[in-house]
Amino acid sequence: MQRLNHRNFPDSLARMTRRQATVLVGCGIAAAAIRPARATAAVPADMLFDVSRKGDRIGTHAIRFTQDGDALRVESQLDLTVKMAFITVYRYEQTGQDDWQDGALVRTSIRTIDDGKDTLVVAEAKEGKLVVEGPAGTYETSLGSMTDLSFWNEGITDGPPVIDSQTGELIKISVQPDATETITVRGQPVSTRRFTMAATKGRSGTVWYDDAGGLVKAIVLTRGETLAYALAA
């Protein structure tokens, strides 16, 4: 589901926070969504998304899925680079590793390097709660909460509490009922279900899942900035 700021950015970039620049990046848009009820389904295929701003590709978000005993392991790698005149003026990297059991997040470790600033958020299920530790402090939230790297899981459209992957803060989201829409994905028409989401701290956006529950597209609006996710060819 968070800051961007650099004195060398143009005015529009200088006003961007991480939530503005990475939005569902930090929100962790990823691959092959499965709702908790489908947790026993086959392991999803690895997928890769291109991330763009104003039509310019600024990075990728790769997601890898593996079965580890009775847990589904989800590894996420986000890389963003903003350049001006071929010079890198901003770099954002985020690496996450989740363990899911019975459709619930039971363990996560997310490291973020935001233009050189290194942060870590971890969480683990204990006694029926998810214990979160990060820059925002330590607290418990309900088991069933997700991180903002969990948009691969369509269950996030049910509106669970969401953990900010960089600060560790707990975020609330609201979701409008889905609508059916046919969109173009990799040059082909695809029937999808579209969800519009609003979150605390100014974020809003739209995500599209195909009939199999896989995330295929996202557009996010934050304080005048727009980021787009598209499946890489």
Side-chain angles (χ1 to χ4, degrees):
M1 82 89 6
Q2 302 182 16
R3 303 132 280 295
L4 251 185
N5 200 351
H6 196 289
R7 63 178 178 272
N8 293 325
F9 278 23
D11 289 345
S12 61
L13 282 175
R15 291 193 299 267
M16 293 171 66
T17 64
R18 174 182 176 265
R19 284 190 171 85
Q20 297 163 341
T22 62
V23 195
L24 288 183
V25 168
C27 285
I29 294 190
I34 37 178
R35 288 183 179 273
R38 287 181 269 173
T40 58
V43 175
D46 298 342
M47 297 181 73
L48 177 67
F49 284 83
D50 288 325
V51 183
S52 301
R53 176 181 177 271
K54 293 185 176 180
D56 294 327
R57 181 179 176 275
I58 61 171
T60 60
H61 195 155
I63 307 296
R64 295 176 294 275
F65 300 89
T66 56
Q67 195 71 37
D68 185 9
D70 61 351
L72 175 67
R73 177 151 294 177
V74 184
E75 297 179 336
S76 172
Q77 180 66 50
L78 169 65
D79 291 289
L80 295 180
T81 301
V82 176
K83 293 186 177 182
M84 293 175 56
F86 305 105
I87 297 173
T88 298
V89 295
Y90 179 78
R91 187 89 170 90
Y92 184 91
E93 302 171 80
Q94 190 172 64
T95 303
Q97 181 171 287
D98 292 348
D99 286 337
W100 295 72
Q101 290 182 320
D102 298 324
L105 179 67
V106 296
R107 188 174 299 105
T108 191
S109 177
I110 305 170
R111 183 187 181 197
T112 304
I113 303 176
D114 185 352
D115 216 19
K117 182 179 179 180
D118 198 333
T119 58
L120 179 67
V121 172
V122 297
E124 186 165 2
K126 295 180 180 179
E127 299 180 353
K129 295 286 187 179
L130 195 62
V131 181
V132 182
E133 296 182 33
T138 301
Y139 62 89
E140 293 183 349
T141 184
S142 58
L143 197 59
S145 299
M146 301 184 181
T147 75
D148 60 11
L149 287 177
S150 300
F151 275 82
W152 62 269
N153 189 327
E154 192 183 353
I156 201 168
T157 62
D158 294 329
V162 173
I163 301 161
D164 186 299
S165 59
Q166 186 167 347
T167 68
E169 296 173 275
L170 200 62
I171 299 167
K172 293 182 179 180
I173 62 173
S174 61
V175 184
Q176 290 185 9
D178 64 309
T180 301
E181 183 178 1
T182 297
I183 64 172
T184 300
V185 178
R186 293 172 172 166
Q188 300 296 322
V190 175
S191 176
T192 67
R193 283 162 294 111
R194 184 187 72 234
F195 295 86
T196 300
M197 299 187 177
T200 53
K201 307 205 175 182
R203 292 183 295 180
S204 62
T206 305
V207 289
W208 288 259
Y209 296 92
D210 64 21
D211 290 340
L215 181 68
V216 293
K217 178 181 176 180
I219 296 176
V220 178
L221 309 175
T222 301
R223 297 180 184 178
E225 297 293 343
T226 302
L227 286 183
Y229 269 77
L231 286 171

